[in-house]
Amino acid sequence: MGKYFGTDGVRGVVNVELDAMLAFKIGCAAAYVLQEQSSRRAKILIGKDTRISSDMLEAALTAGICSSGVDVEVLGAIPTPAVAYLTIKHGAAAGIVISASHNPYEYNGIKIFAGNGYKLNDELEARIEEYIDHADKIPLAVNGKLGRVIKGEIDPVEEYTDHLAETIQGDLSGLRIAVDCANGAASTTAKVLFRKLKADASFRYFEPDGVNINLGCGSTHLEPLQERMRTGEFDCGIAFDGDADRCLVVDDKGEVLDGDRIMAVCAVKLKQEGRLRGNAFVATVMSNKGLYKYAEGNGIDIVCANVGDRYVLEKMLENGYCLGGEQSGHVIFLEHASTGDGELTAIQFLSILRDSGKKASEIAAEVMPWPQMLVNVAVPNTQKATIAKHPIVKEAIDEAEGKLGGGRILVRPSGTEALVRVMVEAEDAELVQTTCCAVADVIRSVL
């Protein structure tokens, strides 16, 4: 990670860690660096989620980009993967998303996709960071070379949802689906998509007001959706996060299927169709041992990556795999998208449910996870990378590992927040809980 760019772009509390001036400098620097690589006048697409601060940051980014002589096309509120897709389709030099994903509304972020739809590599991010800190070295455009804001060339919702609908055979008629849009970017696209696919879908949390994104809803707050599913009115529940690049599923009994279990089901289907390249998919170090057992039983290999969809994607591209993702619901279907896509993941799973003749709970029961617990501990950004090496914390981790038998403990810093995540997994659920809480308490005690 660099000075500004984490595992998922630049992120922070607005007007504390991320303000309009920084956004202007990011736009100016990114446009200058990316224009250098283009033989023609470049264009950058900008999309955003529904946070109150997104308009301010969009204006600042746009000003920075235009000052470097690059044109901007504004897409409005739209899911992150839609920006990546439209960047490729329309030959833009880059696509920029203003979003803090699953974080509360007071946060926001800026992430950049290159013209190929993938997040910028470390080298490009480093060059942009250098210019952010030395903005006076950027030769600003003058006179007729200034960038302009282009409007009306793209209908982002129609183009993106048309693309998604074409990734499955047939439609989703006959399925009763409860959908939670997290008051985020999916509020602009989910209704359109499910209408095109003729699904009987009932929507909640699709009325963003700038401050209610992810508030008691979405993929990080599944309780309302679980309650809806227990009424027996629906075959399946779908929850997105704020920028709709992740999706979690709730079955007809109210049980959650995380990204691991969704991937497992999709991997088996791809194998049956002869489309699982390399007979393997990519998961992360956080992935449950139950996933490995299920994959092994179906003759499928799992390749392990570090946490972060950029690291999952690296492994996929390196080995030619078509499927990869994370427990959090970031799932990449490389045949159809260059990044994690919640709505794409949802309809891939729903098409499998449609064809299976089974209930969602029956499909879920095929992938039985080991008991696992995750505790987030608030740790300052200046300490989170080294806290696991603290002698007292290291001793607690070593002691825990000795008690878990075939289980495991993982303590790692968050790439996007001032948190350290403590994950414990074992066959004994009570042991998992006591161990995870004990290690988290030790971390708190040394701060």
Side-chain angles (χ1 to χ4, degrees):
M1 295 188 290
K3 179 179 178 181
Y4 299 104
F5 287 92
T7 56
D8 201 26
V10 180
R11 191 174 297 187
V13 176
V14 175
N15 280 344
V16 178
E17 298 155 304
L18 176 58
D19 58 17
M21 182 57 70
L22 178 56
F24 175 87
K25 290 179 180 178
I26 291 170
C28 190
Y32 178 66
V33 169
L34 293 167
Q35 177 68 71
E36 283 185 318
Q37 301 186 342
S38 178
S39 58
R40 55 189 173 87
R41 187 178 180 90
K43 176 177 73 173
I44 292 177
L45 308 183
I46 299 180
K48 60 186 176 183
D49 70 17
T50 56
R51 292 163 210 273
I52 192 170
S53 59
S54 290
D55 292 345
M56 177 188 79
L57 295 175
E58 178 188 74
L61 270 170
T62 299
I65 293 168
C66 290
S67 72
S68 285
V70 174
D71 294 334
V72 171
E73 184 154 1
V74 177
L75 303 177
I78 196 81
T80 287
V83 177
Y85 168 72
L86 293 168
T87 295
I88 300 169
K89 180 179 178 182
H90 291 277
I96 299 180
V97 180
I98 303 165
S99 174
S101 189
H102 60 284
N103 291 148
Y105 83 93
E106 59 266 28
Y107 288 81
N108 217 326
I110 297 171
K111 49 188 165 186
I112 307 174
F113 293 100
N116 59 7
Y118 300 130
K119 291 178 183 177
L120 296 184
N121 59 41
D122 292 341
E123 182 183 350
L124 274 177
E125 285 188 350
R127 290 196 63 211
I128 291 170
E129 286 198 343
E130 183 179 347
Y131 281 112
I132 291 172
D133 280 336
H134 300 90
D136 56 320
K137 294 184 178 179
I138 300 175
L140 299 181
V142 295
N143 302 325
K145 292 185 178 181
L146 284 165
R148 303 187 69 175
V149 178
I150 303 168
K151 294 182 180 180
E153 288 192 3
I154 297 173
D155 185 335
V157 172
E158 286 299 316
E159 290 190 24
Y160 173 59
T161 54
D162 280 347
H163 161 66
L164 293 182
E166 291 168 0
T167 66
I168 64 171
Q169 295 293 320
D171 57 41
L172 298 176
S173 56
L175 286 181
R176 300 167 302 163
I177 308 163
V179 183
D180 179 340
C181 294
N183 289 317
S187 303
T188 66
T189 53
K191 281 190 172 184
V192 177
L193 174 63
F194 284 103
R195 184 177 67 245
K196 288 179 178 180
L197 291 173
K198 302 178 182 178
D200 181 4
S202 175
F203 297 87
R204 283 191 180 174
Y205 305 110
F206 61 92
E207 297 177 311
D209 63 9
V211 299
N212 63 0
I213 187 170
N214 300 316
L215 182 62
C217 58
S219 62
T220 51
H221 301 281
L222 291 168
E223 297 82 8
L225 183 58
Q226 289 177 288
E227 212 40 53
R228 292 191 82 192
M229 292 307 301
R230 294 186 184 112
T231 66
E233 298 176 30
F234 303 100
D235 299 309
C236 192
I238 300 294
F240 303 113
D241 66 336
D243 67 336
D245 67 349
R246 68 171 74 178
C247 157
L248 294 180
V249 172
V250 179
D251 71 20
D252 49 288
K253 293 183 178 179
E255 182 175 348
V256 177
L257 278 73
D258 63 14
D260 279 354
R261 299 172 81 182
I262 295 169
M263 273 197 299
V265 171
C266 292
V268 169
K269 180 66 171 178
L270 287 169
K271 180 177 180 178
Q272 291 170 350
E273 296 175 348
R275 296 164 52 211
L276 187 65
R277 296 202 295 263
N279 196 47
F281 64 96
V282 179
T284 76
V285 293
M286 295 288 284
S287 292
N288 194 284
K289 284 200 171 184
L291 174 68
Y292 285 82
K293 185 176 180 180
Y294 178 77
E296 182 181 355
N298 285 277
I300 296 172
D301 296 324
I302 295 178
V303 175
C304 190
N306 289 329
V307 174
D309 59 343
R310 68 184 300 158
Y311 302 118
V312 170
L313 180 61
E314 283 175 6
K315 289 283 186 183
M316 294 174 69
L317 295 173
E318 181 183 328
N319 298 286
Y321 302 130
C322 63
L323 178 66
E326 304 179 273
Q327 267 188 340
S328 60
H330 282 119
V331 181
I332 303 172
F333 293 86
L334 210 50
E335 284 183 302
H336 308 299
S338 59
T339 189
D341 189 323
E343 289 172 285
L344 175 61
T345 300
I347 64 174
Q348 295 300 313
F349 179 85
L350 290 169
S351 68
I352 293 170
L353 177 63
R354 174 201 65 194
D355 295 340
S356 70
K358 299 177 181 179
K359 293 183 177 180
S361 56
E362 293 173 320
I363 292 177
E366 296 173 5
V367 191
M368 293 303 297
W370 280 25
Q372 187 183 83
M373 184 173 182
L374 177 67
V375 172
N376 292 322
V377 183
V379 178
N381 284 325
T382 55
Q383 295 177 256
K384 68 181 184 181
T386 58
I387 196 72
K389 297 177 183 178
H390 189 288
I392 296 176
V393 175
K394 187 176 185 304
E395 181 181 354
I397 294 171
D398 291 342
E399 182 180 343
E401 286 178 334
K403 293 179 180 178
L404 292 174
R408 63 189 180 121
I409 179 170
L410 182 65
V411 178
R412 68 170 192 89
S414 167
T416 58
E417 301 172 80
L419 298 172
V420 166
R421 308 194 194 279
V422 181
M423 188 275 286
V424 177
E425 181 180 271
E427 293 185 278
D428 184 330
E430 185 176 345
L431 178 62
V432 166
Q433 182 172 359
T434 57
T435 302
C436 194
C437 291
V439 173
D441 285 343
V442 169
I443 293 173
R444 294 186 188 101
S445 73
V446 302
L447 294 175

